[in-house]
Amino acid sequence: MFVFIILLALSILSILLLGYGLFANVKHLAQVKERLLAAEAAVAKGVEQERALNVELADMKHRIERNIVSDSLTGLPGWQIFEDRLKQVLNQSKRHKLTFAVLFLDLDDFKIINDVLGLEAGDELLKEVAERLQASVRQMDTVSRFTGDEFVFILPQVAKPETSAYVAQRLLNAVAQPFRIRDQELFITASAGIAIFPTDGEDVSVLLQNAESALHQAKSHGDNNYQFYRREMHMISRRELILSSALHGSEIYKEFSLRYQPQVNIETKKIVCMETSLHWQHPDFGVISTDDFLRFAENTGTILVIGEWILRNACQQFVTWQSQGLHPQKISVNVSLRQLESPHFAYNVSHILQDLNLNPDHLILQISEMMLLTKLGLIEKTLRMLKQLGVNIGATDFGTGNIALQHLRSFPLGYLKLSSELITDITTNEETKAIVKMMVALTVTLQLQVIADGVESQEQKLVLKELGCPVMQGTLFSPPLLAEEFTTLVAEKIVENV
């Protein structure tokens, strides 16, 4: 009986073990099946992705092939056709000993349009620009869009370089006329570079490279101008590369210093403001001009960091002068378009004022009239935020641009600084004198403070006083000074000379 029980128990245990094995096998088979199904799904998904990728590649190939023939946006000849035509003109010019020009043209600050109004508006503008450019050249000339807002021209059978200069100016004038994009009036400018065959190169790549070098040099001279290629431009390009790279280094601030030029009221005999400017003394290239600095800083994106450094140090210096008993009423700092585009700029200004416990009314942020020409929404919004902080806003170089006077009411301005170009011949040119008189009257109507910049002679001072402009700035009163040079004695001497 005992043996029977043992055998029965063993049988039951065997059955249980067998059942567990079968269960494990079934579970394993289910997992295998599940993995097979997942693998099949992944394969199917991969096949679908590959099919979609092939469609995308085919579409991309089609677009590339189409752009070889024609630029899809503007309808201008594509790069391959342009290159073929350039080779033909080059060979013909060599054979018949003819002269021709290659011209690069680039829109100034076009990125602003895309950033603020959107890519679609930017594309609409490029189409209209292309139409104007094509209408401004001869039928035998070729114009193509290379990339973005850069256009390149072949001007065959140019008898002399002056002819290509005439064409370049005509192109710049065509671009400078106002555009109407989505009910927004836009003013833009362009820069151009010219290379002449055979003096500036005898093959395609060299001519294109030299024309582009001339374009970069044109931009370095300010917007809305053209330049011919010169051999020394390669050295200039090296200088620009070194200076642009230097702005990224932490040691750059050792080369910077701030200068301050007083603005005086000749009626109250007081220094009403100290205007801040950056002085960059490079160890190899000497003093770097303000225009060069701004261009390099804008292009490299360092203007935001350096601009904040300038603003903080200028405000700190103003606080120091106050503690020393020196009493300029305000401090002014120039700001760039890139700073105004930053959504954090108004916050950063507020943070600096709070850190230094500086009344916002003591600060004037100056922008150029050219920034107001486009009347971009983002700039206007930032200016109003700054105005709400209590900061004063001023427009510099007034009278050099084409801003409609009625637009001035759209901006929260408190100050207008007349361009020094208007002051230069104010004593000898009745037309200039009449323009300044009108502008002063306008500021009175709009309740704005007007400042005359670039006053260098007593005669200019007297004319401006007669026209109702008592606040002036210029070397007649004082050159830009280092902070330590502006002492009580210097301040008293400046006021005495008024």
Side-chain angles (χ1 to χ4, degrees):
M1 186 69 181
F2 178 75
V3 173
F4 174 76
I5 294 173
I6 293 297
L7 291 173
L8 180 61
L10 290 172
S11 299
I12 293 172
L13 180 60
S14 298
I15 292 171
L16 290 174
L17 291 173
L18 180 62
Y20 177 77
L22 289 172
F23 173 76
N25 286 334
V26 170
K27 184 178 180 181
H28 176 69
L29 289 172
Q31 291 175 343
V32 170
K33 182 179 179 180
E34 184 178 345
R35 286 198 291 269
L36 286 172
L37 291 174
E40 290 178 0
V43 170
K45 184 178 180 181
V47 171
E48 183 62 30
Q49 289 178 337
E50 183 179 2
R51 185 181 296 113
L53 180 60
N54 287 335
V55 171
E56 185 177 351
L57 289 173
D59 180 61
M60 185 181 300
K61 181 180 179 182
H62 174 70
R63 282 187 277 117
I64 292 173
E65 291 174 346
R66 184 178 59 188
N67 284 338
I68 289 176
V69 178
S70 175
D71 176 48
S72 58
L73 178 64
T74 63
L76 295 174
W79 64 268
Q80 185 64 65
I81 288 182
F82 178 87
E83 191 175 47
D84 289 343
R85 290 184 183 176
L86 182 53
K87 290 178 181 177
Q88 291 175 12
V89 172
L90 181 68
N91 293 332
Q92 290 172 359
S93 299
K94 285 181 177 179
R95 186 162 51 250
H96 300 290
K97 296 183 179 181
L98 300 173
T99 300
F100 74 93
V102 175
L103 184 149
F104 266 84
L105 182 143
D106 184 82
L107 303 183
D108 299 320
D109 299 321
F110 178 73
K111 182 179 179 294
I112 300 171
I113 305 296
N114 280 337
D115 289 348
V116 178
L117 299 183
L119 295 177
E120 291 184 0
D123 286 347
E124 289 181 27
L125 179 60
L126 286 174
K127 290 179 183 178
E128 292 199 22
V129 168
E131 291 176 1
R132 291 189 187 183
L133 295 178
Q134 200 164 27
S136 300
V137 295
R138 302 167 299 177
Q139 188 174 1
M140 65 188 301
D141 299 331
T142 300
V143 54
S144 177
R145 185 172 76 108
F146 262 27
T147 58
D149 60 324
E150 190 172 73
F151 298 83
V152 62
F153 300 75
I154 307 170
L155 309 177
Q157 300 181 27
V158 174
K160 52 186 178 179
E162 289 82 355
T163 303
S164 58
Y166 170 77
V167 175
Q169 189 59 61
R170 188 167 59 194
L171 294 171
L172 298 184
N173 292 341
V175 173
Q177 299 304 310
F179 291 85
R180 174 66 62 174
I181 304 295
R182 301 189 175 188
D183 295 327
Q184 173 75 55
E185 189 175 50
L186 298 178
F187 292 87
I188 64 171
T189 57
S191 301
I194 307 168
I196 304 294
F197 170 86
T199 55
D200 299 332
E202 297 188 13
D203 62 69
V204 168
S205 60
V206 172
L207 283 167
L208 291 174
Q209 179 183 347
N210 290 343
E212 191 165 21
S213 293
L215 169 63
H216 293 319
Q217 187 62 17
K219 284 186 170 294
S220 73
H221 281 71
D223 297 339
N224 198 29
N225 81 99
Y226 64 86
Q227 293 289 319
F228 283 96
Y229 171 76
R230 301 187 306 277
R231 294 187 184 278
E232 59 267 26
M233 284 182 179
H234 286 303
M235 291 299 297
I236 294 172
S237 297
R238 176 179 173 273
R239 172 181 177 272
E240 293 185 353
L241 176 62
I242 293 173
L243 293 177
S244 296
S245 300
L247 290 176
H248 289 285
S250 58
E251 298 295 310
I252 189 64
Y253 296 99
K254 295 180 181 179
E255 301 172 11
F256 288 164
S257 62
L258 296 182
R259 306 292 172 98
Y260 304 89
Q261 188 171 33
Q263 297 172 357
V264 298
N265 188 316
I266 63 172
E267 292 180 348
T268 62
K269 295 187 178 297
K270 290 183 178 180
I271 297 175
V272 296
C273 184
M274 296 291 280
E275 181 182 76
T276 310
S277 60
L278 179 72
H279 183 88
W280 182 6
Q281 181 76 37
H282 191 272
D284 296 325
F285 300 115
V287 177
I288 309 303
S289 71
T290 301
D291 288 342
D292 277 350
F293 160 72
L294 289 174
R295 179 165 54 85
F296 298 145
E298 290 274 4
N299 292 340
T300 59
T302 56
I303 188 64
L304 296 180
V305 177
I306 297 176
E308 185 173 342
W309 179 87
I310 295 172
L311 178 61
R312 178 175 289 277
N313 281 272
C315 290
Q316 178 63 70
Q317 185 57 58
F318 182 81
V319 171
T320 300
W321 281 331
Q322 285 186 315
S323 68
Q324 294 173 344
L326 291 167
H327 298 293
Q329 297 171 8
K330 298 183 189 297
I331 185 81
S332 68
V333 180
N334 293 299
V335 294
S336 71
L337 187 58
R338 184 71 66 88
Q339 289 174 278
L340 292 175
E341 285 184 297
S342 170
H344 308 295
F345 181 67
Y347 169 80
N348 291 339
V349 172
S350 175
H351 187 64
I352 290 172
L353 293 173
Q354 291 178 14
D355 279 354
L356 300 176
N357 194 28
L358 178 60
N359 186 331
D361 187 52
H362 290 313
L363 175 62
I364 302 174
L365 295 179
Q366 297 187 145
I367 59 178
S368 69
E369 182 190 3
M370 293 301 295
M371 292 187 198
L372 299 177
L373 286 177
T374 51
K375 195 185 176 184
L376 301 176
L378 182 59
I379 296 176
E380 187 174 351
K381 179 181 177 181
T382 303
L383 293 179
R384 294 196 181 282
M385 291 173 64
L386 292 167
K387 188 66 176 178
Q388 289 176 357
L389 288 176
V391 174
N392 299 286
I393 307 297
T396 65
D397 300 321
F398 190 72
T400 58
N402 299 312
I403 187 170
L405 298 181
Q406 64 266 26
H407 290 342
L408 289 175
R409 300 183 63 88
S410 302
F411 297 94
L413 298 175
Y415 296 81
L416 284 181
K417 182 190 285 188
L418 300 180
S419 170
S420 58
E421 294 179 15
L422 291 173
I423 309 304
T424 301
D425 63 346
I426 195 172
T427 60
T428 57
N429 190 322
E430 289 298 322
E431 183 177 342
T432 299
K433 186 176 178 179
I435 291 173
V436 172
K437 182 178 181 179
M438 177 193 69
M439 289 182 173
V440 172
L442 174 68
T443 60
V444 173
T445 301
L446 297 177
Q447 298 181 329
L448 303 176
Q449 174 69 64
V450 63
I451 304 161
D453 190 19
V455 180
E456 299 178 349
S457 69
Q458 288 288 342
E459 291 78 8
Q460 291 172 342
K461 184 186 80 170
L462 294 175
V463 171
L464 288 166
K465 181 180 180 181
E466 174 191 337
L467 296 177
C469 180
V471 181
M472 306 177 195
Q473 174 182 345
T475 56
L476 175 65
F477 310 105
S478 172
L481 304 168
L482 289 169
E484 55 267 26
E485 294 175 336
F486 183 63
T487 62
T488 301
L489 291 177
V490 171
E492 290 176 353
K493 184 177 180 181
I494 291 172
V495 171
E496 288 175 1
N497 290 337
V498 170

Short mmCIF file of all heavy atoms in Angstrom, two decimals, residues 209-210 213-214 216-217 220 229-243 284-285 295-296:
data_model
loop_
_atom_site.label_atom_id
_atom_site.label_comp_id
_atom_site.label_asym_id
_atom_site.label_seq_id
_atom_site.Cartn_x
_atom_site.Cartn_y
_atom_site.Cartn_z
N GLN A 209 34.57 85.59 -56.72
CA GLN A 209 35.15 85.81 -55.40
C GLN A 209 35.48 87.29 -55.19
O GLN A 209 35.20 87.85 -54.12
CB GLN A 209 36.41 84.97 -55.24
CG GLN A 209 37.11 85.15 -53.89
CD GLN A 209 38.40 84.34 -53.80
OE1 GLN A 209 38.65 83.47 -54.62
NE2 GLN A 209 39.21 84.64 -52.80
N ASN A 210 36.05 87.93 -56.18
CA ASN A 210 36.44 89.33 -56.03
C ASN A 210 35.24 90.27 -56.02
O ASN A 210 35.24 91.28 -55.31
CB ASN A 210 37.41 89.72 -57.15
CG ASN A 210 38.76 89.04 -56.98
OD1 ASN A 210 39.10 88.55 -55.91
ND2 ASN A 210 39.55 89.01 -58.05
N SER A 213 33.97 90.03 -52.55
CA SER A 213 34.83 90.80 -51.64
C SER A 213 34.50 92.28 -51.71
O SER A 213 34.45 92.97 -50.69
CB SER A 213 36.31 90.58 -52.00
OG SER A 213 36.70 89.25 -51.77
N ALA A 214 34.26 92.76 -52.93
CA ALA A 214 33.88 94.17 -53.09
C ALA A 214 32.54 94.46 -52.42
O ALA A 214 32.33 95.54 -51.85
CB ALA A 214 33.82 94.52 -54.57
N HIS A 216 31.34 92.93 -49.71
CA HIS A 216 31.59 93.02 -48.27
C HIS A 216 32.21 94.37 -47.90
O HIS A 216 31.88 94.95 -46.86
CB HIS A 216 32.52 91.89 -47.83
CG HIS A 216 31.90 90.53 -47.95
ND1 HIS A 216 30.58 90.28 -47.60
CD2 HIS A 216 32.41 89.34 -48.37
CE1 HIS A 216 30.31 89.00 -47.82
NE2 HIS A 216 31.39 88.41 -48.28
N GLN A 217 33.07 94.86 -48.77
CA GLN A 217 33.68 96.16 -48.50
C GLN A 217 32.64 97.27 -48.60
O GLN A 217 32.68 98.24 -47.82
CB GLN A 217 34.82 96.41 -49.49
CG GLN A 217 35.63 97.66 -49.21
CD GLN A 217 36.33 97.60 -47.86
OE1 GLN A 217 36.48 96.54 -47.28
NE2 GLN A 217 36.75 98.75 -47.37
N SER A 220 30.82 97.46 -45.44
CA SER A 220 31.62 98.04 -44.36
C SER A 220 31.62 99.56 -44.42
O SER A 220 31.93 100.22 -43.43
CB SER A 220 33.05 97.51 -44.42
OG SER A 220 33.76 98.08 -45.51
N TYR A 229 36.16 96.26 -56.81
CA TYR A 229 37.17 95.41 -56.19
C TYR A 229 38.54 96.06 -56.28
O TYR A 229 38.91 96.67 -57.29
CB TYR A 229 37.22 94.04 -56.88
CG TYR A 229 38.39 93.20 -56.42
CD1 TYR A 229 38.36 92.57 -55.19
CD2 TYR A 229 39.53 93.08 -57.22
CE1 TYR A 229 39.46 91.83 -54.75
CE2 TYR A 229 40.62 92.33 -56.79
CZ TYR A 229 40.58 91.71 -55.55
OH TYR A 229 41.65 90.98 -55.12
N ARG A 230 39.30 95.95 -55.19
CA ARG A 230 40.69 96.40 -55.15
C ARG A 230 41.52 95.30 -54.52
O ARG A 230 41.05 94.58 -53.63
CB ARG A 230 40.84 97.69 -54.34
CG ARG A 230 40.03 98.87 -54.86
CD ARG A 230 40.36 100.15 -54.10
NE ARG A 230 40.21 100.01 -52.67
CZ ARG A 230 39.07 100.12 -52.01
NH1 ARG A 230 37.95 100.37 -52.68
NH2 ARG A 230 39.02 99.98 -50.71
N ARG A 231 42.76 95.17 -54.94
CA ARG A 231 43.60 94.08 -54.48
C ARG A 231 43.80 94.09 -52.97
O ARG A 231 43.92 93.05 -52.33
CB ARG A 231 44.97 94.12 -55.19
CG ARG A 231 44.87 93.85 -56.68
CD ARG A 231 46.24 93.74 -57.32
NE ARG A 231 46.12 93.57 -58.77
CZ ARG A 231 45.88 92.42 -59.38
NH1 ARG A 231 45.71 91.33 -58.65
NH2 ARG A 231 45.78 92.36 -60.69
N GLU A 232 43.82 95.28 -52.38
CA GLU A 232 44.04 95.36 -50.94
C GLU A 232 42.84 94.86 -50.13
O GLU A 232 42.91 94.75 -48.91
CB GLU A 232 44.38 96.80 -50.53
CG GLU A 232 43.32 97.85 -50.87
CD GLU A 232 43.57 98.51 -52.22
OE1 GLU A 232 44.21 97.87 -53.07
OE2 GLU A 232 43.13 99.64 -52.39
N MET A 233 41.73 94.55 -50.82
CA MET A 233 40.55 94.07 -50.10
C MET A 233 40.81 92.73 -49.41
O MET A 233 40.15 92.40 -48.43
CB MET A 233 39.36 93.96 -51.05
CG MET A 233 38.74 95.30 -51.40
SD MET A 233 37.31 95.16 -52.49
CE MET A 233 36.85 96.88 -52.63
N HIS A 234 41.75 91.95 -49.92
CA HIS A 234 42.08 90.69 -49.24
C HIS A 234 42.65 90.97 -47.86
O HIS A 234 42.37 90.25 -46.89
CB HIS A 234 43.07 89.88 -50.08
CG HIS A 234 42.45 89.26 -51.29
ND1 HIS A 234 41.38 88.40 -51.21
CD2 HIS A 234 42.75 89.37 -52.60
CE1 HIS A 234 41.04 88.00 -52.43
NE2 HIS A 234 41.86 88.58 -53.29
N MET A 235 43.46 92.02 -47.75
CA MET A 235 43.99 92.40 -46.44
C MET A 235 42.87 92.92 -45.55
O MET A 235 42.84 92.66 -44.34
CB MET A 235 45.06 93.49 -46.61
CG MET A 235 46.34 92.99 -47.25
SD MET A 235 47.13 91.68 -46.27
CE MET A 235 47.50 92.60 -44.77
N ILE A 236 41.93 93.66 -46.16
CA ILE A 236 40.80 94.17 -45.39
C ILE A 236 39.96 93.01 -44.86
O ILE A 236 39.51 93.01 -43.71
CB ILE A 236 39.95 95.10 -46.27
CG1 ILE A 236 40.75 96.36 -46.61
CG2 ILE A 236 38.65 95.48 -45.56
CD1 ILE A 236 40.08 97.27 -47.62
N SER A 237 39.76 91.98 -45.69
CA SER A 237 38.99 90.82 -45.26
C SER A 237 39.67 90.12 -44.09
O SER A 237 39.01 89.65 -43.16
CB SER A 237 38.81 89.84 -46.43
OG SER A 237 38.08 90.44 -47.46
N ARG A 238 41.01 90.05 -44.14
CA ARG A 238 41.75 89.43 -43.03
C ARG A 238 41.54 90.25 -41.75
O ARG A 238 41.33 89.69 -40.66
CB ARG A 238 43.23 89.37 -43.38
CG ARG A 238 44.11 88.82 -42.27
CD ARG A 238 45.58 88.77 -42.70
NE ARG A 238 46.43 88.41 -41.58
CZ ARG A 238 46.93 89.30 -40.72
NH1 ARG A 238 46.63 90.58 -40.86
NH2 ARG A 238 47.70 88.89 -39.72
N ARG A 239 41.58 91.57 -41.88
CA ARG A 239 41.36 92.44 -40.72
C ARG A 239 39.97 92.22 -40.14
O ARG A 239 39.80 92.11 -38.91
CB ARG A 239 41.52 93.90 -41.15
CG ARG A 239 41.13 94.94 -40.10
CD ARG A 239 41.31 96.35 -40.65
NE ARG A 239 40.89 97.37 -39.71
CZ ARG A 239 39.64 97.84 -39.63
NH1 ARG A 239 38.70 97.36 -40.45
NH2 ARG A 239 39.33 98.78 -38.75
N GLU A 240 38.97 92.14 -41.01
CA GLU A 240 37.61 91.94 -40.53
C GLU A 240 37.45 90.61 -39.82
O GLU A 240 36.75 90.51 -38.81
CB GLU A 240 36.63 92.05 -41.71
CG GLU A 240 36.55 93.45 -42.30
CD GLU A 240 35.49 93.57 -43.38
OE1 GLU A 240 34.90 92.52 -43.75
OE2 GLU A 240 35.25 94.69 -43.84
N LEU A 241 38.11 89.58 -40.33
CA LEU A 241 38.04 88.27 -39.70
C LEU A 241 38.64 88.31 -38.30
O LEU A 241 38.08 87.77 -37.34
CB LEU A 241 38.76 87.23 -40.56
CG LEU A 241 38.85 85.81 -39.99
CD1 LEU A 241 37.45 85.23 -39.81
CD2 LEU A 241 39.69 84.92 -40.90
N ILE A 242 39.80 88.97 -38.18
CA ILE A 242 40.48 89.05 -36.88
C ILE A 242 39.63 89.84 -35.88
O ILE A 242 39.45 89.43 -34.72
CB ILE A 242 41.87 89.70 -37.04
CG1 ILE A 242 42.79 88.78 -37.84
CG2 ILE A 242 42.49 90.01 -35.68
CD1 ILE A 242 44.13 89.40 -38.19
N LEU A 243 39.09 90.98 -36.33
CA LEU A 243 38.31 91.81 -35.42
C LEU A 243 37.00 91.15 -35.02
O LEU A 243 36.58 91.22 -33.86
CB LEU A 243 38.03 93.17 -36.08
CG LEU A 243 39.27 94.06 -36.29
CD1 LEU A 243 38.87 95.35 -37.02
CD2 LEU A 243 39.94 94.38 -34.97
N ASP A 284 46.69 95.75 -32.64
CA ASP A 284 47.32 95.68 -33.97
C ASP A 284 46.77 96.72 -34.95
O ASP A 284 47.52 97.25 -35.78
CB ASP A 284 47.13 94.28 -34.57
CG ASP A 284 47.84 93.22 -33.75
OD1 ASP A 284 48.93 93.52 -33.22
OD2 ASP A 284 47.32 92.09 -33.64
N PHE A 285 45.48 97.00 -34.88
CA PHE A 285 44.83 97.86 -35.88
C PHE A 285 44.50 99.25 -35.36
O PHE A 285 43.91 100.05 -36.09
CB PHE A 285 43.56 97.18 -36.40
CG PHE A 285 43.81 95.85 -37.05
CD1 PHE A 285 43.31 94.68 -36.50
CD2 PHE A 285 44.58 95.75 -38.20
CE1 PHE A 285 43.54 93.44 -37.08
CE2 PHE A 285 44.82 94.52 -38.79
CZ PHE A 285 44.31 93.37 -38.23
N ARG A 295 29.06 97.00 -36.89
CA ARG A 295 28.86 96.01 -37.95
C ARG A 295 29.38 94.64 -37.51
O ARG A 295 28.69 93.63 -37.67
CB ARG A 295 29.57 96.48 -39.22
CG ARG A 295 29.47 95.53 -40.40
CD ARG A 295 29.89 96.26 -41.67
NE ARG A 295 31.20 96.87 -41.52
CZ ARG A 295 32.34 96.23 -41.73
NH1 ARG A 295 32.32 94.96 -42.08
NH2 ARG A 295 33.50 96.85 -41.61
N PHE A 296 30.59 94.60 -36.93
CA PHE A 296 31.14 93.33 -36.48
C PHE A 296 30.30 92.73 -35.36
O PHE A 296 30.02 91.53 -35.34
CB PHE A 296 32.58 93.52 -35.99
CG PHE A 296 33.53 93.99 -37.05
CD1 PHE A 296 34.57 94.86 -36.76
CD2 PHE A 296 33.40 93.58 -38.36
CE1 PHE A 296 35.45 95.31 -37.72
CE2 PHE A 296 34.26 94.02 -39.36
CZ PHE A 296 35.28 94.89 -39.04
#
